[in-house]
Amino acid sequence: MANNFSYFLLTLLLLFTLTVTGSSSQSMDDVKPSTPLVSFLEILQHTAFNTFGNSNFDPKTYVDLPLKFPLSVTDHAFHNLSKSSTGSVSVHDLNRFIETYFHAAGHDLVYSDPEDFVPEPDGFLPKVKNPEVRAWAIKVHSLWKNLSRKVSSEVKTHPNYHTLLPVPGSVVIPGSRFREVYYWDSYWVIRGLLVSKMYKTAKSIVTNLISLIEEYGFVLNGARAYYTNRSQPPLLSAMIYEIYARTGDIELVKRSLPALLKEHEFWNSDIHKVNISDAQGCTRTLNRYYARWNKPRPESSTMDKASASKFTTVSEKQHFYRELASAAESGWDFSTRWMRHPPNFTTLSTTSVIPVDLNAFLLGMELNIAFFANVTGDNRTAEHFLQISDVRKEAINSVFWNANMKQWLDSWLSNTTHEVQVWDTLHQNQNVFASNFVPLWMKPFYSDALLVSNVLKSLKTSGLLRAAGVATSLSDSGQQWDFPNGWAPLQHMLVEGLIKSGLEEARSLAEEIAIRWITTNYIVYKKTGVMHEKFDVEHCGEFGGGGEYVPQTGFGWSNGVVLAFLEEFGWPEDRKIEC
């Protein structure tokens, strides 16, 4: 009787989800509906957690499982499983059910041999003279083959059997549990592919991301049905700029421009937009992360529900779930940066933060759109985006810049309404994060020599510079986007900003950071045989940890940044590589 009742409830849930999914009149502030398959796989995930326990349990595995049969058949079989009095399923029965009704996670992405890969491209890393480092760099280059995939034809034949979305071209995945293309990871993957002279592969990634904008109005966090509620740091225009700078592919620029205009519109929608009255009484418009979601993230549902168990009301839980998903949209999932009262995880308040780096990325997008419009002859659009980039630059300086610390600081909102809020220095987050220096990556800031000189002094005394690179923060919270972890994207943005300033002292520091980062990547690779997602910058030769999943390997952006650094700085024959 209990089994029949639970089956009835699930059927109602799936029918309701299907009905909501079919609705076409979604305002930007609405919660993005789930799909029947995702809803079912979440239930399977919770059942698996209760059956198998917490040891080595990765909830994402279960929402990535492709069906072998229609959902109705699979659902019926699931509810016919023998249950104990507590509702649990035996390990044997659940294992047999999963084996019978599902393909393995990742089955729907098949290996794709990149046509533009050669073992050692002509002119590859000419400044890397040390034979030991060069041999390793060639191995890192070869990892693009390992990470290349394309969507299986099964996904296009039976899209309702998969949470994977059918992007048109080949992809380069980050690695390990990250089996699909991801948004901001792809920028540093592309930087590495360009060093490897794999231009076709780089363009294919961009084509896939453009297809997501054309389908959903923005680039998703990743190419999964459960990521349609949020994006990630907007770096598509930067990817296209780098490809164009190497190849002069004007057709790619023409193809991309309409999509970039659409993406810019998404990031400047009401839910992402915040108006601030600055110290001079001028109203400034800036942007924040804000996911269209108020439920547990399907890929982490068991964890999110456990974290939310401290809240008593439905509305409190829904608010917390939105903050979780919005932190995931930031790419910094998770960090004390988003916590009102760190390190208390339940005080995540991502939507109440106006982030320095997001607004720097949007400034870059606006400058890139202006550049692309200019090279395609659209002078009106070029002029418009130059104007709005100037407005954003002024807003960044007005709201984020802290003259005493000589850094740009995130700003807290006093409330999350759409009213104009009054800026106050008390609203700035005084804690030091690597993101406080990200604006230096953008031309309006790295081209200002006096500013760079001040920021350089601040960076040197910030406490972020460690034995193996730049720390993400100074807070050892146990979250992965905090101390002692260092991440490839942050090293690269800071190093490249320093280089582009043209100041000799800045380039010297940039090279020092790059050498430390390359060294720790190399030592960890020699010890483990793989490239890692993140590194412990306090201890040279150690990979990072913390967060909600075990350390991952592969690894797309780590590979890309190592290759980019070796291209820029080389490695002299007589320089040793050791901690």
Side-chain angles (χ1 to χ4, degrees), residues 43-57:
I43 294 168
L44 176 65
Q45 179 194 114
H46 283 273
T47 303
F49 180 76
N50 292 332
T51 299
F52 302 134
N54 197 25
S55 179
N56 298 319
F57 182 82

Side-chain angles (χ1 to χ4, degrees), residues 304-313 316-317 320-321 343-347:
D304 288 1
K305 284 187 176 180
S307 298
S309 63
K310 297 179 182 178
F311 298 104
T312 55
T313 68
E316 285 176 329
K317 289 178 189 288
F320 178 66
Y321 291 142
N344 185 343
F345 188 64
T346 59
T347 66

Side-chain angles (χ1 to χ4, degrees), residues 74-336:
T74 310
D75 175 43
H76 184 74
F78 176 74
H79 284 87
N80 280 339
L81 288 172
S82 179
K83 309 274 197 316
S84 70
S85 57
T86 60
S88 65
V89 179
S90 74
V91 170
H92 174 268
D93 285 355
L94 190 56
N95 274 329
R96 187 174 63 179
F97 168 74
I98 291 172
E99 185 179 330
T100 302
Y101 288 92
F102 298 92
H103 295 291
H107 173 85
D108 40 13
L109 269 171
V110 298
Y111 175 73
S112 174
D113 192 10
E115 62 176 298
D116 52 353
F117 175 86
V118 295
E120 187 171 353
D122 288 340
F124 181 66
L125 298 180
K127 292 192 281 186
V128 177
K129 305 297 186 183
N130 182 299
E132 185 181 0
V133 176
R134 184 166 190 82
W136 172 58
I138 290 170
K139 288 179 181 176
V140 173
H141 159 73
S142 74
L143 294 176
W144 299 133
K145 282 175 70 74
N146 297 0
L147 298 172
S148 293
R149 302 285 189 278
K150 63 181 177 182
V151 175
S152 166
S153 59
E154 296 171 11
V155 179
K156 293 166 187 175
T157 306
H158 295 292
N160 294 333
Y161 286 22
H162 307 264
T163 59
L164 186 69
L165 299 176
V167 294
S170 60
V171 301
V172 175
I173 63 170
S176 297
R177 77 196 290 267
F178 301 112
R179 307 172 182 92
E180 50 284 308
V181 68
Y182 279 80
Y183 185 4
W184 79 316
D185 293 65
S186 294
Y187 174 80
W188 288 279
V189 167
I190 284 173
R191 290 300 299 262
L193 289 170
L194 295 177
V195 175
S196 294
K197 305 186 189 302
M198 295 174 65
Y199 306 128
K200 288 183 180 178
T201 301
K203 290 176 191 177
S204 179
I205 295 172
V206 163
T207 300
N208 290 325
L209 301 184
I210 290 171
S211 76
L212 294 175
I213 295 179
E214 291 169 347
E215 178 70 23
Y216 299 98
F218 62 99
V219 183
L220 309 187
N221 182 147
R224 289 278 176 186
Y226 51 77
Y227 286 145
T228 57
N229 54 66
R230 64 180 189 260
S231 186
Q232 260 193 341
L235 294 173
L236 177 59
S237 73
M239 300 178 210
I240 297 161
Y241 181 89
E242 295 298 334
I243 294 171
Y244 177 75
R246 297 260 186 163
T247 67
D249 189 341
I250 192 70
E251 292 306 315
L252 178 67
V253 171
K254 290 177 180 176
R255 162 86 201 281
S256 304
L257 196 50
L260 292 175
L261 293 172
K262 202 170 185 179
E263 185 185 31
H264 187 266
E265 186 180 337
F266 165 80
W267 279 105
N268 287 279
S269 65
D270 286 343
I271 60 171
H272 290 118
K273 197 161 55 177
V274 178
N275 294 318
I276 303 287
S277 179
D278 68 13
Q280 288 73 43
C282 297
T283 299
R284 308 292 187 182
T285 300
L286 290 162
N287 301 78
R288 61 176 172 171
Y289 293 108
Y290 194 101
R292 295 175 62 190
W293 198 244
N294 63 1
K295 297 182 280 262
R297 293 166 298 148
E299 75 281 9
S300 303
S301 186
T302 52
M303 295 177 178
D304 288 1
K305 284 187 176 180
S307 298
S309 63
K310 297 179 182 178
F311 298 104
T312 55
T313 68
V314 171
S315 63
E316 285 176 329
K317 289 178 189 288
Q318 288 180 336
H319 177 79
F320 178 66
Y321 291 142
R322 191 184 298 277
E323 300 303 333
L324 278 168
S326 299
E329 182 170 65
S330 79
W332 284 50
D333 43 342
F334 294 100
S335 171
T336 52

Side-chain angles (χ1 to χ4, degrees), residues 540-557:
C540 180
E542 300 293 333
F543 59 82
E548 63 178 9
Y549 54 80
V550 298
Q552 302 295 293
T553 61
F555 197 88
W557 61 20

Side-chain angles (χ1 to χ4, degrees), residues 503-517:
L503 298 185
E504 189 174 330
E505 186 184 1
R507 183 176 178 87
S508 177
L509 179 60
E511 185 166 12
E512 185 180 328
I513 293 168
I515 289 170
R516 294 179 189 184
W517 187 253

